[in-house]
């Protein structure tokens, strides 16, 4: 008896493929193999490959919005930065690195990547402003995002503990800039 495979299963399989071997191996066939289903299952959820890519990217971008909502909880200013640091551990960094590489050859993926980066800078910037480092907020938000992207692209698999240490240093940098 065939197993039930839903839209979320396709997204999870795509993240696994991206994390393991990158965007060059992400295809309808690879998804079917990973999920153990026929191509008919795919068409229950998606019109075609471009529709899957669009929906997958929307799903991926929605995780940034989830993080933004979680980070909007009532917290002391520096606690919000610490929460963002902890939430960064929940991101599938290897898949994100693959999406970033994928974006260099696909305009739709590039547009989604730019929007996710813009939104993440906005979330970090707001937390930095709230922490009291408003005059440096744009540069600090850019620095934070650059640290994450750099860790994603420099080390495969991404060392989440090393990234966490970098982000802890970032929080300390903000703390120090507020004291100055």
């Amino acid at each position: 008896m065939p197993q039930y495979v839903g839209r979320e299963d396709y997204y999870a399989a795509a993240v696994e493929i991206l994390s393991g071997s990158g965007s060059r191996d992400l295809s309808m066939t690879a998804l079917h193999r990973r999920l153990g289903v026929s191509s008919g299952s795919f068409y229950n959820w998606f019109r075609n490959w471009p529709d899957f890519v669009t929906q997958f990217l929307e799903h991926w971008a929605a995780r940034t919005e989830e993080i933004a909502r979680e980070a909007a909880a009532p917290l002391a200013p520096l606690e919000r930065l610490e929460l963002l640091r902890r939430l960064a551990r929940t991101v599938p960094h290897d898949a994100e690195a693959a999406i970033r590489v994928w974006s260099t050859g696909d305009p739709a993926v590039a547009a989604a990547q730019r929007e996710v980066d813009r939104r993440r800078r906005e979330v970090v910037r707001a937390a930095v402003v709230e922490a009291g480092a408003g005059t440096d907020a744009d540069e600090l938000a850019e620095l934070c995002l650059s640290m994450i992207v750099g860790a994603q692209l420099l080390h495969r698999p991404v060392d989440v503990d090393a990234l966490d240490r970098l982000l802890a240093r970032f929080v300390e940098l903000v703390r120090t800039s507020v004291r100055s």
Side-chain angles (χ1 to χ4, degrees), residues 36 39 41 44 53 55 58 66 70 72 89 98 104 138 150 160 164:
S39 61
S41 170
N44 286 329
V53 170
Q55 289 189 46
E58 289 169 357
E66 290 171 19
E70 288 181 56
R89 294 183 72 88
T104 64
D138 290 327
V160 179
D164 186 60

Side-chain angles (χ1 to χ4, degrees), residues 47-158:
R47 288 187 312 274
N48 51 35
W49 183 252
D51 183 47
F52 167 77
V53 170
T54 298
Q55 289 189 46
F56 171 73
L57 293 171
E58 289 169 357
H59 169 79
W60 170 63
R63 180 62 186 132
T64 293
E65 291 308 316
E66 290 171 19
I67 288 172
R69 280 191 299 278
E70 288 181 56
L75 295 168
L78 290 170
E79 287 177 22
R80 186 170 324 287
L81 285 170
E82 286 292 344
L83 174 60
L84 284 170
R85 182 181 133 220
R86 288 190 303 276
L87 290 171
R89 294 183 72 88
T90 69
V91 172
H93 292 287
D94 290 318
E96 291 216 350
I99 291 169
R100 197 166 291 282
V101 170
W102 185 12
S103 76
T104 64
D106 186 317
V109 179
Q113 180 71 65
R114 281 190 303 275
E115 179 56 25
V116 165
D117 286 346
R118 183 202 63 75
R119 183 66 174 120
R120 288 177 180 178
R121 270 191 302 273
E122 183 179 90
V123 168
V124 173
R125 183 188 187 288
V128 167
V129 166
E130 186 179 350
T135 58
D136 299 322
D138 290 327
E139 288 178 350
L140 287 167
E142 188 73 21
L143 175 63
C144 182
L145 187 61
S146 296
M147 291 167 65
I148 293 168
V149 170
Q152 289 174 340
L153 294 176
L154 284 172
H155 307 287
R156 293 273 313 236
V158 174

Side-chain angles (χ1 to χ4, degrees), residues 8-37:
E8 294 293 322
D9 297 309
Y10 277 96
Y11 300 149
V15 167
E16 289 173 12
I17 292 166
L18 288 166
S19 294
S21 54
S23 62
R24 72 182 176 283
D25 289 339
L26 181 60
S27 67
M28 220 184 306
T29 301
L31 290 171
H32 300 148
R33 280 191 196 126
R34 171 99 31 184
L35 294 169
V37 297

